[in-house]
mmCIF file of all heavy atoms in Angstrom:
data_model
loop_
_atom_site.group_PDB
_atom_site.id
_atom_site.type_symbol
_atom_site.label_atom_id
_atom_site.label_comp_id
_atom_site.label_asym_id
_atom_site.label_seq_id
_atom_site.Cartn_x
_atom_site.Cartn_y
_atom_site.Cartn_z
ATOM 1 N N THR A 1 106.894 72.645 122.932
ATOM 2 C CA THR A 1 107.112 73.057 124.327
ATOM 3 C C THR A 1 105.913 73.860 124.817
ATOM 4 O O THR A 1 105.434 74.755 124.115
ATOM 5 C CB THR A 1 108.377 73.942 124.423
ATOM 6 O OG1 THR A 1 109.479 73.220 123.892
ATOM 7 C CG2 THR A 1 108.671 74.310 125.869
ATOM 8 N N TRP A 2 105.445 73.538 126.016
ATOM 9 C CA TRP A 2 104.339 74.288 126.606
ATOM 10 C C TRP A 2 104.882 75.484 127.371
ATOM 11 O O TRP A 2 105.865 75.373 128.093
ATOM 12 C CB TRP A 2 103.535 73.396 127.548
ATOM 13 C CG TRP A 2 102.680 72.405 126.833
ATOM 14 C CD1 TRP A 2 103.013 71.120 126.513
ATOM 15 C CD2 TRP A 2 101.361 72.614 126.322
ATOM 16 N NE1 TRP A 2 101.975 70.522 125.831
ATOM 17 C CE2 TRP A 2 100.953 71.408 125.709
ATOM 18 C CE3 TRP A 2 100.478 73.704 126.325
ATOM 19 C CZ2 TRP A 2 99.699 71.270 125.105
ATOM 20 C CZ3 TRP A 2 99.234 73.560 125.734
ATOM 21 C CH2 TRP A 2 98.850 72.352 125.120
ATOM 22 N N GLY A 3 104.218 76.618 127.200
ATOM 23 C CA GLY A 3 104.608 77.825 127.914
ATOM 24 C C GLY A 3 103.375 78.601 128.352
ATOM 25 O O GLY A 3 102.246 78.167 128.151
ATOM 26 N N THR A 4 103.613 79.768 128.964
ATOM 27 C CA THR A 4 102.517 80.531 129.563
ATOM 28 C C THR A 4 102.381 81.899 128.895
ATOM 29 O O THR A 4 103.125 82.254 127.992
ATOM 30 C CB THR A 4 102.750 80.716 131.073
ATOM 31 O OG1 THR A 4 103.947 81.472 131.263
ATOM 32 C CG2 THR A 4 102.880 79.368 131.777
ATOM 33 N N VAL A 5 101.405 82.664 129.381
ATOM 34 C CA VAL A 5 101.111 84.005 128.868
ATOM 35 C C VAL A 5 101.278 84.992 130.020
ATOM 36 O O VAL A 5 100.816 84.733 131.131
ATOM 37 C CB VAL A 5 99.661 84.063 128.331
ATOM 38 C CG1 VAL A 5 99.292 85.477 127.900
ATOM 39 C CG2 VAL A 5 99.478 83.087 127.168
ATOM 40 N N CYS A 6 101.927 86.127 129.755
ATOM 41 C CA CYS A 6 102.118 87.146 130.786
ATOM 42 C C CYS A 6 100.833 87.945 130.972
ATOM 43 O O CYS A 6 100.095 88.194 130.017
ATOM 44 C CB CYS A 6 103.263 88.063 130.386
ATOM 45 S SG CYS A 6 103.647 89.275 131.652
ATOM 46 N N ASP A 7 100.577 88.393 132.219
ATOM 47 C CA ASP A 7 99.315 89.087 132.499
ATOM 48 C C ASP A 7 99.329 90.579 132.166
ATOM 49 O O ASP A 7 98.335 91.264 132.387
ATOM 50 C CB ASP A 7 98.890 88.866 133.959
ATOM 51 C CG ASP A 7 99.847 89.502 134.958
ATOM 52 O OD1 ASP A 7 100.764 90.238 134.551
ATOM 53 O OD2 ASP A 7 99.675 89.256 136.170
ATOM 54 N N ASP A 8 100.435 91.112 131.618
ATOM 55 C CA ASP A 8 100.446 92.529 131.218
ATOM 56 C C ASP A 8 99.395 92.748 130.131
ATOM 57 O O ASP A 8 99.443 92.126 129.073
ATOM 58 C CB ASP A 8 101.823 92.936 130.651
ATOM 59 C CG ASP A 8 102.916 92.894 131.705
ATOM 60 O OD1 ASP A 8 102.577 92.856 132.904
ATOM 61 O OD2 ASP A 8 104.098 92.888 131.329
ATOM 62 N N GLY A 9 98.421 93.614 130.415
ATOM 63 C CA GLY A 9 97.380 93.890 129.430
ATOM 64 C C GLY A 9 96.343 92.795 129.290
ATOM 65 O O GLY A 9 95.469 92.874 128.419
ATOM 66 N N TRP A 10 96.415 91.758 130.121
ATOM 67 C CA TRP A 10 95.472 90.625 130.015
ATOM 68 C C TRP A 10 94.113 91.036 130.559
ATOM 69 O O TRP A 10 94.010 91.513 131.682
ATOM 70 C CB TRP A 10 96.032 89.443 130.811
ATOM 71 C CG TRP A 10 95.213 88.188 130.705
ATOM 72 C CD1 TRP A 10 94.412 87.654 131.665
ATOM 73 C CD2 TRP A 10 95.135 87.309 129.580
ATOM 74 N NE1 TRP A 10 93.832 86.495 131.204
ATOM 75 C CE2 TRP A 10 94.257 86.263 129.935
ATOM 76 C CE3 TRP A 10 95.724 87.312 128.311
ATOM 77 C CZ2 TRP A 10 93.961 85.220 129.050
ATOM 78 C CZ3 TRP A 10 95.422 86.274 127.438
ATOM 79 C CH2 TRP A 10 94.545 85.244 127.817
ATOM 80 N N ASP A 11 93.065 90.852 129.761
ATOM 81 C CA ASP A 11 91.734 91.264 130.207
ATOM 82 C C ASP A 11 90.654 90.350 129.608
ATOM 83 O O ASP A 11 90.965 89.368 128.933
ATOM 84 C CB ASP A 11 91.484 92.737 129.848
ATOM 85 C CG ASP A 11 91.657 93.022 128.354
ATOM 86 O OD1 ASP A 11 91.692 92.062 127.555
ATOM 87 O OD2 ASP A 11 91.760 94.201 127.985
ATOM 88 N N ILE A 12 89.408 90.699 129.892
ATOM 89 C CA ILE A 12 88.273 89.834 129.484
ATOM 90 C C ILE A 12 88.239 89.565 127.967
ATOM 91 O O ILE A 12 88.034 88.417 127.562
ATOM 92 C CB ILE A 12 86.926 90.434 129.975
ATOM 93 C CG1 ILE A 12 86.806 90.271 131.506
ATOM 94 C CG2 ILE A 12 85.741 89.780 129.283
ATOM 95 C CD1 ILE A 12 86.478 88.864 131.998
ATOM 96 N N PRO A 13 88.455 90.552 127.080
ATOM 97 C CA PRO A 13 88.452 90.227 125.644
ATOM 98 C C PRO A 13 89.489 89.166 125.257
ATOM 99 O O PRO A 13 89.233 88.335 124.373
ATOM 100 C CB PRO A 13 88.743 91.582 124.968
ATOM 101 C CG PRO A 13 88.259 92.598 125.952
ATOM 102 C CD PRO A 13 88.547 92.019 127.302
ATOM 103 N N ASP A 14 90.649 89.195 125.924
ATOM 104 C CA ASP A 14 91.676 88.178 125.650
ATOM 105 C C ASP A 14 91.210 86.816 126.161
ATOM 106 O O ASP A 14 91.315 85.798 125.471
ATOM 107 C CB ASP A 14 92.998 88.557 126.335
ATOM 108 C CG ASP A 14 93.473 89.950 125.942
ATOM 109 O OD1 ASP A 14 93.245 90.339 124.788
ATOM 110 O OD2 ASP A 14 94.052 90.636 126.793
ATOM 111 N N ALA A 15 90.701 86.811 127.394
ATOM 112 C CA ALA A 15 90.230 85.564 127.995
ATOM 113 C C ALA A 15 89.060 84.971 127.209
ATOM 114 O O ALA A 15 88.916 83.753 127.113
ATOM 115 C CB ALA A 15 89.826 85.805 129.456
ATOM 116 N N ASP A 16 88.220 85.847 126.645
ATOM 117 C CA ASP A 16 87.082 85.398 125.831
ATOM 118 C C ASP A 16 87.529 84.512 124.664
ATOM 119 O O ASP A 16 86.885 83.509 124.351
ATOM 120 C CB ASP A 16 86.341 86.610 125.238
ATOM 121 C CG ASP A 16 85.000 86.824 125.908
ATOM 122 O OD1 ASP A 16 84.456 85.867 126.491
ATOM 123 O OD2 ASP A 16 84.485 87.953 125.832
ATOM 124 N N ILE A 17 88.622 84.908 124.005
ATOM 125 C CA ILE A 17 89.127 84.131 122.868
ATOM 126 C C ILE A 17 89.548 82.738 123.334
ATOM 127 O O ILE A 17 89.269 81.728 122.678
ATOM 128 C CB ILE A 17 90.316 84.860 122.187
ATOM 129 C CG1 ILE A 17 89.891 86.254 121.698
ATOM 130 C CG2 ILE A 17 90.887 84.023 121.052
ATOM 131 C CD1 ILE A 17 88.840 86.278 120.611
ATOM 132 N N VAL A 18 90.192 82.673 124.512
ATOM 133 C CA VAL A 18 90.604 81.376 125.080
ATOM 134 C C VAL A 18 89.383 80.504 125.351
ATOM 135 O O VAL A 18 89.336 79.331 124.970
ATOM 136 C CB VAL A 18 91.413 81.591 126.377
ATOM 137 C CG1 VAL A 18 91.673 80.270 127.080
ATOM 138 C CG2 VAL A 18 92.735 82.292 126.069
ATOM 139 N N CYS A 19 88.367 81.078 126.007
ATOM 140 C CA CYS A 19 87.161 80.302 126.337
ATOM 141 C C CYS A 19 86.466 79.802 125.073
ATOM 142 O O CYS A 19 86.047 78.647 124.999
ATOM 143 C CB CYS A 19 86.197 81.139 127.168
ATOM 144 S SG CYS A 19 86.817 81.543 128.821
ATOM 145 N N ARG A 20 86.349 80.663 124.074
ATOM 146 C CA ARG A 20 85.711 80.267 122.826
ATOM 147 C C ARG A 20 86.489 79.159 122.134
ATOM 148 O O ARG A 20 85.916 78.192 121.631
ATOM 149 C CB ARG A 20 85.603 81.486 121.884
ATOM 150 C CG ARG A 20 84.478 82.426 122.220
ATOM 151 C CD ARG A 20 83.805 82.976 120.967
ATOM 152 N NE ARG A 20 84.719 83.528 119.996
ATOM 153 C CZ ARG A 20 84.997 84.820 119.877
ATOM 154 N NH1 ARG A 20 84.445 85.698 120.680
ATOM 155 N NH2 ARG A 20 85.830 85.243 118.928
ATOM 156 N N GLN A 21 87.817 79.317 122.110
ATOM 157 C CA GLN A 21 88.658 78.327 121.429
ATOM 158 C C GLN A 21 88.535 76.957 122.088
ATOM 159 O O GLN A 21 88.563 75.917 121.417
ATOM 160 C CB GLN A 21 90.115 78.814 121.453
ATOM 161 C CG GLN A 21 91.043 77.993 120.572
ATOM 162 C CD GLN A 21 92.469 78.541 120.604
ATOM 163 O OE1 GLN A 21 92.701 79.707 120.874
ATOM 164 N NE2 GLN A 21 93.429 77.666 120.330
ATOM 165 N N LEU A 22 88.370 76.927 123.421
ATOM 166 C CA LEU A 22 88.258 75.660 124.164
ATOM 167 C C LEU A 22 86.812 75.177 124.268
ATOM 168 O O LEU A 22 86.532 74.195 124.944
ATOM 169 C CB LEU A 22 88.851 75.823 125.562
ATOM 170 C CG LEU A 22 90.366 76.041 125.609
ATOM 171 C CD1 LEU A 22 90.805 76.394 127.025
ATOM 172 C CD2 LEU A 22 91.118 74.810 125.119
ATOM 173 N N ARG A 23 85.894 75.906 123.627
ATOM 174 C CA ARG A 23 84.447 75.601 123.708
ATOM 175 C C ARG A 23 83.973 75.589 125.160
ATOM 176 O O ARG A 23 83.273 74.674 125.601
ATOM 177 C CB ARG A 23 84.136 74.267 123.032
ATOM 178 C CG ARG A 23 84.462 74.315 121.546
ATOM 179 C CD ARG A 23 83.905 73.132 120.803
ATOM 180 N NE ARG A 23 84.186 73.283 119.379
ATOM 181 C CZ ARG A 23 84.632 72.306 118.616
ATOM 182 N NH1 ARG A 23 84.876 71.118 119.131
ATOM 183 N NH2 ARG A 23 84.843 72.498 117.332
ATOM 184 N N CYS A 24 84.378 76.613 125.883
ATOM 185 C CA CYS A 24 84.023 76.753 127.298
ATOM 186 C C CYS A 24 83.128 77.961 127.528
ATOM 187 O O CYS A 24 83.069 78.495 128.634
ATOM 188 C CB CYS A 24 85.292 76.881 128.144
ATOM 189 S SG CYS A 24 86.172 75.322 128.385
ATOM 190 N N GLY A 25 82.428 78.406 126.477
ATOM 191 C CA GLY A 25 81.536 79.548 126.643
ATOM 192 C C GLY A 25 82.305 80.852 126.537
ATOM 193 O O GLY A 25 83.175 81.011 125.684
ATOM 194 N N HIS A 26 81.984 81.793 127.431
ATOM 195 C CA HIS A 26 82.657 83.093 127.424
ATOM 196 C C HIS A 26 83.402 83.292 128.735
ATOM 197 O O HIS A 26 83.211 82.553 129.691
ATOM 198 C CB HIS A 26 81.636 84.223 127.200
ATOM 199 C CG HIS A 26 80.592 84.271 128.271
ATOM 200 N ND1 HIS A 26 79.405 83.573 128.199
ATOM 201 C CD2 HIS A 26 80.566 84.905 129.470
ATOM 202 C CE1 HIS A 26 78.689 83.784 129.285
ATOM 203 N NE2 HIS A 26 79.362 84.590 130.084
ATOM 204 N N ALA A 27 84.251 84.301 128.775
ATOM 205 C CA ALA A 27 85.060 84.548 129.968
ATOM 206 C C ALA A 27 84.238 85.243 131.047
ATOM 207 O O ALA A 27 83.522 86.200 130.783
ATOM 208 C CB ALA A 27 86.265 85.398 129.614
ATOM 209 N N VAL A 28 84.343 84.740 132.266
ATOM 210 C CA VAL A 28 83.695 85.361 133.417
ATOM 211 C C VAL A 28 84.722 86.200 134.181
ATOM 212 O O VAL A 28 84.420 87.275 134.674
ATOM 213 C CB VAL A 28 83.103 84.283 134.366
ATOM 214 C CG1 VAL A 28 82.249 84.923 135.443
ATOM 215 C CG2 VAL A 28 82.293 83.264 133.605
ATOM 216 N N ARG A 29 85.940 85.698 134.278
ATOM 217 C CA ARG A 29 87.031 86.422 134.938
ATOM 218 C C ARG A 29 88.324 86.199 134.158
ATOM 219 O O ARG A 29 88.468 85.200 133.451
ATOM 220 C CB ARG A 29 87.239 85.904 136.374
ATOM 221 C CG ARG A 29 86.070 86.152 137.299
ATOM 222 C CD ARG A 29 86.480 86.324 138.753
ATOM 223 N NE ARG A 29 87.438 85.341 139.232
ATOM 224 C CZ ARG A 29 87.113 84.138 139.722
ATOM 225 N NH1 ARG A 29 85.843 83.771 139.772
ATOM 226 N NH2 ARG A 29 88.038 83.311 140.147
ATOM 227 N N ALA A 30 89.252 87.148 134.305
ATOM 228 C CA ALA A 30 90.559 87.041 133.645
ATOM 229 C C ALA A 30 91.649 87.346 134.672
ATOM 230 O O ALA A 30 92.318 88.371 134.599
ATOM 231 C CB ALA A 30 90.635 88.009 132.465
ATOM 232 N N PRO A 31 91.831 86.452 135.669
ATOM 233 C CA PRO A 31 92.791 86.748 136.733
ATOM 234 C C PRO A 31 94.241 86.671 136.260
ATOM 235 O O PRO A 31 94.596 85.828 135.430
ATOM 236 C CB PRO A 31 92.504 85.661 137.781
ATOM 237 C CG PRO A 31 91.910 84.534 137.001
ATOM 238 C CD PRO A 31 91.168 85.160 135.849
ATOM 239 N N GLY A 32 95.063 87.563 136.766
ATOM 240 C CA GLY A 32 96.501 87.510 136.516
ATOM 241 C C GLY A 32 97.212 87.097 137.788
ATOM 242 O O GLY A 32 96.620 86.484 138.677
ATOM 243 N N GLY A 33 98.497 87.444 137.881
ATOM 244 C CA GLY A 33 99.246 87.194 139.112
ATOM 245 C C GLY A 33 99.357 85.737 139.487
ATOM 246 O O GLY A 33 99.385 85.401 140.669
ATOM 247 N N ALA A 34 99.402 84.841 138.486
ATOM 248 C CA ALA A 34 99.541 83.402 138.741
ATOM 249 C C ALA A 34 98.487 82.897 139.728
ATOM 250 O O ALA A 34 98.781 82.157 140.665
ATOM 251 C CB ALA A 34 100.953 83.066 139.238
ATOM 252 N N ALA A 35 97.239 83.314 139.504
ATOM 253 C CA ALA A 35 96.134 82.916 140.389
ATOM 254 C C ALA A 35 95.958 81.395 140.450
ATOM 255 O O ALA A 35 95.457 80.863 141.436
ATOM 256 C CB ALA A 35 94.831 83.566 139.912
ATOM 257 N N PHE A 36 96.384 80.682 139.405
ATOM 258 C CA PHE A 36 96.255 79.221 139.372
ATOM 259 C C PHE A 36 97.620 78.549 139.513
ATOM 260 O O PHE A 36 97.833 77.433 139.044
ATOM 261 C CB PHE A 36 95.565 78.774 138.082
ATOM 262 C CG PHE A 36 94.151 79.273 137.977
ATOM 263 C CD1 PHE A 36 93.843 80.363 137.182
ATOM 264 C CD2 PHE A 36 93.136 78.677 138.714
ATOM 265 C CE1 PHE A 36 92.540 80.846 137.105
ATOM 266 C CE2 PHE A 36 91.836 79.142 138.647
ATOM 267 C CZ PHE A 36 91.539 80.234 137.839
ATOM 268 N N GLY A 37 98.549 79.239 140.170
ATOM 269 C CA GLY A 37 99.895 78.686 140.355
ATOM 270 C C GLY A 37 100.827 79.136 139.244
ATOM 271 O O GLY A 37 100.388 79.565 138.177
ATOM 272 N N ARG A 38 102.100 79.052 139.515
ATOM 273 C CA ARG A 38 103.100 79.458 138.523
ATOM 274 C C ARG A 38 103.353 78.329 137.540
ATOM 275 O O ARG A 38 103.522 77.189 137.941
ATOM 276 C CB ARG A 38 104.407 79.828 139.223
ATOM 277 C CG ARG A 38 104.258 81.026 140.136
ATOM 278 C CD ARG A 38 105.595 81.413 140.755
ATOM 279 N NE ARG A 38 105.395 82.494 141.726
ATOM 280 C CZ ARG A 38 106.373 83.254 142.194
ATOM 281 N NH1 ARG A 38 107.614 83.054 141.794
ATOM 282 N NH2 ARG A 38 106.111 84.216 143.065
ATOM 283 N N GLY A 39 103.421 78.685 136.271
ATOM 284 C CA GLY A 39 103.706 77.696 135.241
ATOM 285 C C GLY A 39 105.200 77.465 135.095
ATOM 286 O O GLY A 39 106.016 77.977 135.874
ATOM 287 N N HIS A 40 105.546 76.677 134.104
ATOM 288 C CA HIS A 40 106.944 76.372 133.804
ATOM 289 C C HIS A 40 107.187 76.644 132.325
ATOM 290 O O HIS A 40 106.255 76.853 131.564
ATOM 291 C CB HIS A 40 107.261 74.910 134.122
ATOM 292 C CG HIS A 40 106.928 74.541 135.535
ATOM 293 N ND1 HIS A 40 107.740 74.859 136.597
ATOM 294 C CD2 HIS A 40 105.849 73.910 136.058
ATOM 295 C CE1 HIS A 40 107.178 74.433 137.716
ATOM 296 N NE2 HIS A 40 106.023 73.856 137.419
ATOM 297 N N GLY A 41 108.454 76.602 131.936
ATOM 298 C CA GLY A 41 108.762 76.756 130.518
ATOM 299 C C GLY A 41 108.765 78.214 130.108
ATOM 300 O O GLY A 41 108.701 79.123 130.936
ATOM 301 N N PRO A 42 108.818 78.454 128.801
ATOM 302 C CA PRO A 42 108.933 79.822 128.304
ATOM 303 C C PRO A 42 107.637 80.612 128.491
ATOM 304 O O PRO A 42 106.551 80.047 128.606
ATOM 305 C CB PRO A 42 109.229 79.628 126.811
ATOM 306 C CG PRO A 42 108.648 78.294 126.481
ATOM 307 C CD PRO A 42 108.800 77.461 127.718
ATOM 308 N N ILE A 43 107.756 81.935 128.548
ATOM 309 C CA ILE A 43 106.596 82.825 128.520
ATOM 310 C C ILE A 43 106.423 83.234 127.061
ATOM 311 O O ILE A 43 107.267 83.921 126.491
ATOM 312 C CB ILE A 43 106.810 84.022 129.457
ATOM 313 C CG1 ILE A 43 106.834 83.512 130.909
ATOM 314 C CG2 ILE A 43 105.701 85.052 129.278
ATOM 315 C CD1 ILE A 43 107.376 84.484 131.914
ATOM 316 N N LEU A 44 105.357 82.744 126.448
ATOM 317 C CA LEU A 44 105.227 82.809 124.982
ATOM 318 C C LEU A 44 104.497 84.038 124.460
ATOM 319 O O LEU A 44 104.568 84.333 123.272
ATOM 320 C CB LEU A 44 104.533 81.540 124.468
ATOM 321 C CG LEU A 44 105.293 80.237 124.727
ATOM 322 C CD1 LEU A 44 104.439 79.036 124.338
ATOM 323 C CD2 LEU A 44 106.604 80.217 123.946
#
């Protein structure tokens, strides 16, 4: 099941791990507040 991540405490060091894991370089921004729309499913 696909789920999302809550933005409490979400910052550039967290986003950096995501970018590195996806081979997308490093994090430039770490927006919260469903900046890319609201997801579905569980908050993991």
Side-chain angles (χ1 to χ4, degrees):
T1 303
W2 286 93
T4 62
V5 175
C6 184
D7 66 8
D8 294 344
W10 184 253
D11 56 15
I12 288 285
D14 305 326
D16 252 338
I17 301 296
V18 172
C19 293
R20 282 218 309 262
Q21 190 179 335
L22 293 172
R23 297 192 177 136
C24 284
H26 60 270
V28 189
R29 295 210 314 274
F36 296 101
R38 296 183 185 196
H40 305 281
I43 293 165
L44 297 173

